[in-house]
């Protein structure tokens, strides 16, 4: 296995996968408890990967989606990006144990350190709600930039009902601090707000596929194709 750990251009605050850094070792436990494996398997199926495809997982965390992709498709070029060095280290160990090659870069979704049109597929799994509205738009613009014209974005995130309730992060009570900020960011996911946001970034978006978690509510999977020239 080969890894590349690039340094981010700037240091900034970010929300790790479990909300706090000391909880990162529990991420894989929660991945199993919530039942995220079928979500990842469906994302991989919908991506329609072929040998030679270059695939980016934005916000790859501890590498569960990368590992699942590499196990099913040995002849694709896998790249994972995440700001959390602790999560990237775990992702690297998983790839080594699984016996496949992955490039892991430390960086931020709003400033993807890759050339224009350099990926056939981009995955984003349950990380969009970690960003504020401005950063979400920046992420989608960057994904649009790095995708090839015939590329595909496969994005999964929490689905909220019309009252703005989700089940993954609790409901109905005001919360302060980092958890409260995440709940506010999740409110961008009410109804069809996510596919509308993706379309506004220059994509043609297919109908949302919705899957239930084992516990914790529902996840929407969006398939989006670049439409027209990339927006700068």
């Amino acid at each position: 296995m080969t890894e590349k750990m690039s340094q981010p251009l700037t240091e900034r605050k970010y929300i790790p996968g479990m909300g706090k850094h000391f909880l990162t070792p529990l991420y894989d436990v929660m991945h199993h408890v919530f039942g995220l494996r079928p979500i990842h398997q469906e994302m991989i199926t919908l991506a329609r990967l072929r040998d030679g495809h270059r695939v980016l997982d934005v916000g790859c965390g501890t590498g569960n989606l990368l590992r699942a992709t590499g196990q099913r498709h040995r002849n694709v070029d896998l790249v994972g990006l995440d700001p959390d060095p602790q999560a990237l280290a775990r992702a690297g160990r998983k790839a080594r144990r699984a016996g496949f090659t992955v490039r892991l870069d430390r960086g931020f979704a709003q400033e993807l350190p890759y050339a224009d049109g350099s990926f056939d597929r981009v995955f984003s799994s349950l990380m969009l709600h970690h960003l504020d509205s401005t950063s979400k738009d920046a992420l989608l613009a960057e994904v649009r930039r790095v995708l090839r014209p015939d590329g595909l974005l496969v994005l999964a995130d929490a689905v909220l009902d019309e009252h703005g309730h989700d089940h993954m992060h609790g409901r109905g009570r005001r919360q302060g601090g980092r958890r409260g900020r995440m709940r506010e960011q999740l409110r961008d996911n009410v109804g069809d707000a996510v596919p509308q946001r993706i379309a506004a970034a220059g994509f043609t978006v297919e109908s949302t596929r919705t899957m239930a978690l084992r516990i914790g509510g529902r996840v929407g999977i969006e398939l989006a194709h670049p439409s027209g020239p990339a927006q700068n």
Side-chain angles (χ1 to χ4, degrees):
M1 174 189 153
T2 59
E3 298 177 27
K4 176 182 177 182
M5 305 291 287
S6 65
Q7 295 298 318
L9 297 177
T10 57
E11 292 292 341
R12 67 183 73 172
K13 293 181 180 179
Y14 59 92
I15 301 176
M18 288 293 293
K20 295 183 181 296
H21 291 285
F22 72 88
L23 294 175
T24 296
L26 298 177
Y27 184 88
D28 293 333
V29 175
M30 296 306 296
H31 180 274
H32 174 73
V33 169
F34 279 96
L36 289 171
R37 185 177 183 277
I39 305 292
H40 285 173
Q41 292 297 328
E42 182 67 7
M43 293 176 70
I44 296 166
T45 297
L46 291 170
R48 301 185 296 274
L49 295 172
R50 300 194 303 271
D51 288 356
H53 270 171
R54 192 168 189 233
V55 181
L56 171 65
D57 184 8
V58 180
C60 65
T62 64
N64 290 317
L65 180 52
L66 287 170
R67 178 175 60 181
T69 305
Q71 288 171 335
R72 285 180 58 176
H73 297 277
R74 291 284 175 172
N75 296 315
V76 299
D77 183 9
L78 293 174
V79 180
L81 178 94
D82 201 275
D84 186 346
Q86 185 179 1
L88 287 172
R90 296 176 71 87
R93 290 194 293 271
K94 288 178 185 178
R96 284 192 293 273
R97 288 195 296 266
F100 64 86
T101 298
V102 61
R103 166 178 165 172
L104 297 172
D105 293 331
R106 188 181 179 207
F108 293 89
Q110 304 94 313
E111 300 172 2
L112 297 179
Y114 309 111
D116 296 0
S118 53
F119 290 96
D120 299 285
R121 301 288 187 267
V122 174
F123 285 132
S124 171
S125 175
L126 292 171
M127 64 82 62
L128 190 69
H129 66 271
H130 285 247
L131 306 175
D132 60 32
S133 294
T134 299
S135 296
K136 289 172 184 174
D137 291 335
L139 157 65
L140 292 170
E142 281 289 89
V143 170
R144 176 67 184 81
R145 179 182 65 78
V146 302
L147 268 176
R148 292 174 176 140
D150 60 348
L152 179 68
L153 166 65
V154 184
L155 182 149
D157 210 39
V159 174
L160 275 68
D161 63 29
E162 66 273 14
H163 303 294
H165 291 152
D166 77 290
H167 303 276
M168 296 177 64
H169 299 82
R171 63 152 71 206
R173 62 183 183 274
R174 294 183 62 84
Q175 296 171 313
R178 184 176 294 174
R179 189 174 178 88
R181 289 195 302 274
M182 187 180 293
R183 282 191 56 79
E184 288 302 312
Q185 289 158 198
L186 268 166
R187 294 188 184 279
D188 285 342
N189 288 32
V190 172
D192 62 354
V194 171
Q196 287 186 6
R197 185 183 293 274
I198 296 172
F203 290 89
T204 299
V205 188
E206 298 184 13
S207 298
T208 302
R209 280 87 164 167
T210 303
M211 296 182 65
L213 295 167
R214 182 180 295 126
I215 61 172
R218 296 174 299 143
V219 169
I221 302 177
E222 313 292 347
L223 297 186
H225 307 263
S227 56
Q231 301 177 7
N232 296 321

